[in-house]
Amino acid sequence: MKRVRVWSTVSAIGLAMIALAAAPPGRFVVNAAAGTVRDGTTNLTWQRTVSGTYTWTQATTYCQGLNLGGFSTGWRLPTKKELETLVDFRVVNPSIDVTAFPSTPLAAFWTSTPYAGSSGNAWFVNFNNGASYNDGASFTLSVRCVR
């Protein structure tokens, strides 16, 4: 569910209020029992919640071994472009749909995309503000797997 900041003024007391609008129907289909979210725009299925932090190599291994939503194979670390599709730049702290992806930490998440400018670095997406950066693959960051 996408959120949009809509400003309105309550003239009687002079306060600005924020209302959050719903995402287009069908964008995210949550299967809470399975722990997955299906993205109707990209046709990808995502791990709904995160568990722990990993180095880049550990993150790859973690996703490949994930057994979630009735699927014991096919899970992987998302590419940079895939993970960026979850960013909602209209909101921050976190920059993601918190209805579909509750308890998303204000943290960086690994992608499977290596950084071409420096061996030993890889791209990550920071869901605090939605920006993408690269850093050393030995750092421990959050992971959200995809299939």
Side-chain angles (χ1 to χ4, degrees):
M1 186 175 291
K2 289 280 188 181
R3 296 170 286 148
V4 179
R5 288 192 177 136
V6 180
W7 295 93
S8 63
T9 303
V10 178
S11 59
I13 54 176
L15 296 176
M17 300 181 67
I18 299 174
L20 300 178
R27 168 68 199 264
F28 294 119
V29 178
V30 175
N31 185 336
T36 61
V37 176
R38 177 83 173 161
D39 185 333
T41 301
T42 63
N43 293 318
L44 294 171
T45 299
W46 293 90
Q47 178 183 17
R48 188 167 189 220
T49 59
V50 298
S51 57
T53 58
Y54 305 87
T55 66
W56 191 55
T57 302
Q58 291 169 338
T60 300
T61 302
Y62 167 76
C63 287
Q64 290 172 344
L66 187 63
N67 185 348
L68 183 68
F71 300 101
S72 60
T73 60
W75 291 102
R76 59 184 173 76
L77 199 57
T79 67
K80 179 178 176 278
K81 287 183 181 181
E82 289 170 337
L83 192 56
E84 287 173 338
T85 66
L86 297 183
V87 173
D88 185 346
F89 287 108
R90 296 174 290 186
V91 294
V92 294
N93 300 327
S95 295
I96 194 169
D97 183 330
V98 293
T99 301
F101 301 98
S103 303
T104 296
L106 305 178
F109 285 73
W110 280 124
T111 76
S112 64
T113 308
Y115 179 64
S118 177
S119 65
N121 281 24
W123 286 98
F124 63 86
V125 176
N126 187 332
F127 280 94
N128 181 47
N129 59 11
S132 297
Y133 306 96
N134 71 83
D135 213 336
S138 62
F139 287 101
T140 57
L141 303 179
S142 296
V143 176
R144 175 165 277 125
C145 303
V146 68
R147 70 180 321 276

